[in-house]
Amino acid sequence: MNSQHLLARDTISKGIVWLLAVPALLIPTIVLCYIFWQAAPVLDWGFIVGTTDGAGFGVSDGIFAQLLGSLLLAVMACAIAAPFALGTALYYRTYASPRQQRLLTAMFNMLQGIPPIVFGLCGLVVLVNLFAWGVSLISGAVVLAMVVLPLLVLNTLATLERIPHGYTEAGMALGLGNGAIIGRLWLPRSWLNLLTGVLLAMARALSETAPIMFTATVFSGVVWPDSLFSPVTTLQTHIFYLAQESNDPQVISIAWGSAAVLVLLVASLGVLARLLYKLGED
Amino acid sequence: MALKWWLSASALLSSMTILLVLGFLLQSSWPLIQQQGATFIVGTEWYPFESLYGMLPAFIGTVWSVTLALLIALPCGVAAAILCAELLPPRLRSTVRFAMELMAGVPSVVYGLLGMWLLLPLLESQLNLLTGRTLLAAGLLLALMILPTIMVLSEDAIRAVRQSQRETAKNLGIGWDATLWRVLLPQAWPGIRVATLLATGRAMGETVAVMLVVGSIDRIPEPFYNFLQPAQTLTSRIGREMAEASVGSLHWAALLFCGLMLATMAVAISLLTHRKVAAV
């Protein structure tokens, strides 16, 4: 094979890679720009802080109530899941036998693969009907907590793995018990990275629609839920209902506006998590 | 003591979650299995009002939409990963990668909105269809959704191949083309495989976006490879009908059985992923 032949083959291969890769990189970018282009006419401060009374099918005013509901659900879901995730990860590192460790890893890998709507179904059967919590904030929060649990556990485990063994061994040599090792060594060293995990879990909880559709949300009429057992409105389901039910271009532009706000919210959580992670590395 | 109690309790409870989920789904769909045997699983007709709960149309819809998505997203995603890892200058690479990571986090309902108000009109006008709500629309939308995941994870796998391997290949004078096919891709393959399986799982379980574009008509495409027809997937069926089914009815049990099927398929995929990772 002469070198000219080789060069030609290289060029062809590179050409094919470029040909396939450019649409793969360009189309998502175009799509993202399209969302913001469509959302631009409605995006202003009044849109974000205004509330709608529900009478005009979301046409009239802002999305404050939806934004609030989404955030409330995400924060509650993380608040429920975080203690369990931390406890599980610490158990894995301290008390678990190798067999239990393998079992736990397998369980969480499986749990992570379960489609979110399946958790929604379980929530509907168990929380909404069996426990009679109804379509409510608490049902949705528990369902979302199940969705983000594997993410949080695996993230916490990865964080704990990164603590140098020397630290832990030095602690053990000094005769510290598990409690002191966790409280004095592990947590002070890695709390920033743990917080990163919580932020990522919040971003994930904010982007789920299917699991809360039957368990937590109504279309409109709620600004601030009265209790844990009253339903909420969320940005995710708001977009869904508007997209599905309406043909009015103005309503659709509100859906685009809500979508842009949601994307910005999730992306800024992602960026914040990245910054915190960098901070925790140093 | 309190510490040990907290740790053990949370480990026990959170690892039981998956068993509880599967158990409750099985328990609630049991009435249907009891009444109709297992034959409804391969039944081709889904008419809740006549107590016909054939699972096959939605199952085929799910398989089809996921296959279409993978056929599009896998070559493009891996090519983008190769481009990013091997051909782009480092600064551009990290920008592109960060953008892709952000894209991977875009909520599915936003893709649903895009599908409904950008993709469907496009398909209708370009392919001259009566309705854009087809398996093709679902496949395209899913491809867009899983592309960033495939790209990001494949890039990790390709970059994990040691630099000395590339240098050796260069010294042997085997050219970029052969390096790619004989050195990089074979070594990155386990990672790309895992990326593909994860993406498959995500595409299979995607609900709201698919539900808005797939058409939700319970029939097997005629002929079976015709992806320009409206169809139904397991997830879109649950999403469409769950609110209408009355609690405890056969219809309710049948929808929960759809959920059980999804969960079982997901567990199978994750076992496949997990075993391969452990073996590598």
Side-chain angles (χ1 to χ4, degrees):
Chain A
M1 225 192 282
N2 58 28
S3 65
Q4 207 149 30
H5 185 73
L6 262 180
L7 213 64
R9 286 194 53 157
D10 279 6
T11 318
I12 292 171
S13 288
K14 282 184 188 173
I16 293 173
V17 166
W18 276 96
L19 202 69
L20 285 172
V22 167
L25 296 175
L26 267 187
I27 292 175
T29 319
I30 294 173
V31 159
L32 207 57
C33 296
Y34 185 81
I35 296 171
F36 286 100
W37 179 60
Q38 289 285 329
V42 293
L43 271 188
D44 57 36
W45 190 240
F47 179 65
I48 292 170
V49 297
T51 56
T52 173
D53 55 0
F57 198 71
V59 187
S60 46
D61 298 294
I63 52 163
F64 187 65
Q66 284 79 13
L67 198 60
L68 207 62
S70 285
L71 284 172
L72 204 57
L73 267 177
V75 169
M76 278 181 62
C78 288
I80 295 169
F84 286 108
L86 186 62
T88 307
L90 289 174
Y91 180 83
Y92 183 98
R93 297 289 295 184
T94 50
Y95 296 109
S97 64
R99 210 181 111 89
Q100 285 174 326
Q101 290 186 338
R102 274 200 303 278
L103 198 66
L104 279 174
T105 317
M107 286 286 188
F108 285 108
N109 279 313
M110 263 185 234
L111 197 62
Q112 198 173 30
I114 300 278
I117 182 135
V118 172
F119 292 113
L121 280 180
C122 271
L124 181 63
V125 171
V126 181
L127 305 175
V128 177
N129 288 306
L130 195 64
F131 291 0
W133 288 354
V135 173
S136 63
L137 184 58
I138 185 76
S139 302
V142 172
V143 168
L144 280 180
M146 288 200 271
V147 175
V148 298
L149 184 69
L151 190 102
L152 270 172
V153 171
L154 296 174
N155 220 313
T156 312
L157 273 179
T159 302
L160 294 178
E161 301 268 308
R162 279 200 302 272
I163 297 173
H165 285 293
Y167 264 64
T168 318
E169 278 160 16
M172 283 158 112
L174 289 172
L176 297 184
N178 276 327
I181 288 181
I182 293 168
R184 299 281 177 83
L185 287 175
W186 289 356
L187 294 186
R189 193 185 157 83
S190 56
W191 68 274
L192 265 178
N193 289 344
L194 294 179
L195 201 62
T196 307
V198 174
L199 284 181
L200 289 176
M202 264 187 74
R204 175 76 201 273
L206 274 177
S207 37
E208 290 298 344
T209 313
I212 54 174
M213 218 157 54
F214 321 115
T215 54
T217 62
V218 288
F219 173 64
S220 67
V222 187
V223 176
W224 180 256
D226 304 322
S227 76
L228 284 178
F229 297 98
S230 51
V232 287
T233 56
T234 67
L235 217 45
Q236 299 99 299
T237 46
H238 196 60
I239 298 169
F240 176 74
Y241 292 131
L242 293 185
Q244 188 183 24
E245 307 290 347
S246 178
N247 278 318
D248 181 353
Q250 209 200 327
V251 174
I252 296 308
S253 73
I254 290 187
W256 286 114
S258 313
V261 171
L262 189 60
V263 168
L264 277 180
L265 202 61
V266 172
S268 51
L269 277 173
V271 172
L272 196 64
R274 199 183 165 89
L275 289 178
L276 270 187
Y277 183 85
K278 288 244 169 81
L279 208 67
E281 289 290 274
D282 301 333
Chain B
M1 266 302 80
L3 177 77
K4 183 165 187 186
W5 195 86
W6 168 44
L7 301 193
S8 318
S10 50
L12 192 67
L13 196 70
S14 42
S15 55
M16 290 295 280
T17 313
I18 182 146
L19 298 179
L20 287 177
V21 165
L22 291 175
F24 272 116
L25 285 179
L26 186 63
Q27 194 249 341
S28 335
S29 55
W30 193 247
L32 180 68
I33 303 170
Q34 212 169 26
Q35 192 165 345
Q36 304 200 344
T39 46
F40 70 90
I41 297 173
V42 290
T44 54
E45 290 181 342
W46 173 275
Y47 295 112
F49 294 115
E50 296 167 30
S51 292
L52 287 171
Y53 300 106
M55 294 286 163
L56 212 52
F59 180 72
I60 290 178
T62 295
V63 172
W64 251 122
S65 55
V66 173
T67 312
L68 278 174
L70 281 177
L71 281 179
I72 301 164
L74 194 59
C76 292
V78 173
I82 296 169
L83 183 76
C84 227
E86 301 294 316
L87 296 173
L88 290 183
R91 187 180 294 169
L92 195 58
R93 170 201 295 162
S94 60
T95 317
V96 168
R97 195 188 149 95
F98 185 55
M100 274 308 204
E101 276 171 10
L102 285 185
M103 282 305 295
V106 170
S108 53
V109 68
V110 176
Y111 283 105
L113 185 65
L114 275 164
M116 189 135 177
W117 294 96
L118 179 65
L119 185 63
L120 291 186
L122 262 177
L123 280 179
E124 275 160 29
S125 61
Q126 293 302 312
L127 297 176
N128 220 348
L129 293 171
L130 210 57
T131 165
R133 293 172 187 249
T134 54
L135 273 177
L136 179 65
L140 285 173
L141 202 59
L142 286 175
L144 190 63
M145 296 179 71
I146 62 177
L147 194 95
T149 312
I150 293 185
M151 188 260 170
V152 167
L153 292 176
S154 304
E155 202 218 343
D156 283 341
I158 294 170
R159 287 185 60 190
V161 177
R162 261 178 284 146
Q163 198 57 36
S164 61
Q165 305 260 0
R166 295 187 183 81
E167 281 157 16
T168 310
K170 209 170 211 171
N171 287 341
L172 289 172
I174 61 172
W176 192 81
D177 171 72
T179 312
L180 179 67
W181 287 102
R182 299 290 173 79
V183 181
L184 294 178
L185 287 182
Q187 291 201 42
W189 172 240
I192 297 175
R193 203 193 117 109
V194 168
T196 312
L197 284 169
L198 284 178
T200 310
R202 167 135 198 235
M204 185 188 79
E206 194 41 65
T207 309
V208 279
V210 172
M211 185 173 154
L212 286 172
V213 299
V214 81
S216 298
I217 289 178
D218 284 286
R219 60 164 186 241
I220 299 169
E222 287 279 334
F224 72 91
Y225 51 80
N226 187 351
F227 49 73
L228 292 179
Q229 280 182 354
Q232 180 86 291
T233 68
L234 287 168
T235 51
S236 70
R237 175 186 284 162
I238 298 172
R240 284 272 172 233
E241 298 179 15
M242 205 65 219
E244 298 162 10
S246 57
V247 182
S249 65
L250 269 189
H251 188 194
W252 168 273
L255 290 172
L256 286 165
F257 190 83
C258 291
L260 186 64
M261 275 174 88
L262 279 173
T264 316
M265 282 151 71
V267 167
I269 289 178
S270 94
L271 285 179
L272 222 58
T273 323
H274 194 55
R275 200 180 56 199
K276 212 55 190 179
V277 172
V280 165

